[in-house]
Structures are given as structure tokens and as C-alpha cells.
Amino acid sequence: MDQSFRKVRVSFNSPVILGFTILCFVSLALNYITHGMTNNMLFSVYRSSLLSPLTYIRFFGHIAGHAGWEHFIGNIMLILVVGPLLEEKYGSLNILFVILSTALFTGIVNYVFFPRMQLLGASGVVFALILLSSFTSITDGEIPLTFILVAVIYVGEQVYQGIFVQDNVSNLTHIIGAFVGSVLGYVMNKNKMNRY
């Protein structure tokens, strides 16, 4: 048999990123099916009683919720482009830690400082992964120029938009995500976190 006709199989190459993508898709589908009830109950964070267990679920669950297909596709496209390469470099557990850390920090900040604002979406994760990716070639005693450019362009744009543009985008979430990605990128590249 000709070697060019060997069987090609699809591999589940990035379990955390693919699993997160599936979770976001399922939460979006549930949101449509329940007419927004699941987003309000599980997949968005807002000021609610600290006695409710759902409040703590929402601190993490809000990154899986999306307002619609356009919101979902915009975030997931970037996560699918950048995420698998980072998961291969840093390991699945470290990428899961980055995602969950971003969720927790952005969730708590929104809960404390913006009690009337409902936050949902994976854009904080997107920014964390983008800044994390700029650390992939860091060496001891050097700051990559790519990191500086990415930080100035991406974070600078969010600061500008937060001050001068009134829209439904949580620019602070993007900035916090970028901060989490930067700090964890530095820590992981200094071999202070093992690759798992």
C-alpha cells in the first residue's frame, strides 16, 4: 500500500484549551435554550450574597459565559490560535492555572468594585494568553521586546478605551487578564513553576 494514503487521525492535542472551548460552547447553547437563565445563574459574575454557593461558582464560571455567537467566536478564535502552543510549552496544568487565576481575579474585582455590572466572557483569558505568549522566548536578565510591544499595544488600547470609549466592554478585565498572564509568564519562565 502506498505510504501517501496512510490513515490520518485527529488528535486531542490541547486538552485544557479544547475542554475550555467545549465548556464555553455548551454554556452558550444553554444560555440560548434557557433564554439567559444559565448565564445569570452560573456564567456571569455580579454582586450577590456571599452565603450563596452560586456566588463562588460564578467567580470562575463567568469566563465560560458569552452574550452571543459574535462574542463567543471573537474570544474562542484567539484562544484556539494562541492556547495550544502555550499548553504545549508550559503544560496543561499550568495553562489551567492561568485560566482559573484569571477567572478568579477578574471575578473578585468585578464583584467588589462594580456591583451593578454583570461580567461574562473569556476576554480576560484571551489577554492573559496573549501576554503569556510574549514570554515564550525570555532568557535570564532580558525582557523580550515582543512583551513590551504587546503590553503597550494591547494594554494601552484598553486603558485608552476605558477612559474615552463608552461601551459594554470591560477594559479592566482585559487589563487584569494581561497582568495575570504577564506575572505567570515571568514565573513560569524563571522555572519557578514546574511544567505539568
Side-chain angles (χ1 to χ4, degrees), residues 103-137:
L104 183 61
F105 281 113
T106 56
I108 289 173
V109 167
N110 191 80
Y111 181 90
V112 171
F113 295 107
F114 303 100
R116 290 176 174 63
M117 183 182 291
Q118 190 169 359
L119 176 69
L120 73 159
S123 57
V125 173
V126 170
F127 274 77
L129 295 179
I130 288 170
L131 269 291
L132 179 61
S133 71
S134 66
F135 270 97
T136 56
S137 62

Side-chain angles (χ1 to χ4, degrees), residues 134-148:
S134 66
F135 270 97
T136 56
S137 62
I138 193 172
T139 57
D140 202 22
E142 295 180 0
I143 298 174
L145 180 58
T146 54
F147 169 74
I148 295 169

Side-chain angles (χ1 to χ4, degrees), residues 77-171:
M77 264 190 347
L78 286 167
I79 288 171
L80 285 173
V81 168
V82 178
L85 301 171
L86 294 173
E87 189 169 345
E88 184 177 321
K89 176 177 174 54
Y90 295 111
S92 296
L93 289 180
N94 283 335
I95 294 303
L96 180 60
F97 183 75
V98 170
I99 291 171
L100 293 177
S101 297
T102 303
L104 183 61
F105 281 113
T106 56
I108 289 173
V109 167
N110 191 80
Y111 181 90
V112 171
F113 295 107
F114 303 100
R116 290 176 174 63
M117 183 182 291
Q118 190 169 359
L119 176 69
L120 73 159
S123 57
V125 173
V126 170
F127 274 77
L129 295 179
I130 288 170
L131 269 291
L132 179 61
S133 71
S134 66
F135 270 97
T136 56
S137 62
I138 193 172
T139 57
D140 202 22
E142 295 180 0
I143 298 174
L145 180 58
T146 54
F147 169 74
I148 295 169
L149 291 173
V150 167
V152 168
I153 293 168
Y154 276 91
V155 177
E157 178 190 23
Q158 295 310 304
V159 170
Y160 171 81
Q161 287 185 355
I163 295 170
F164 297 109
V165 178
Q166 296 297 322
D167 56 18
N168 287 331
V169 175
S170 177
N171 303 99

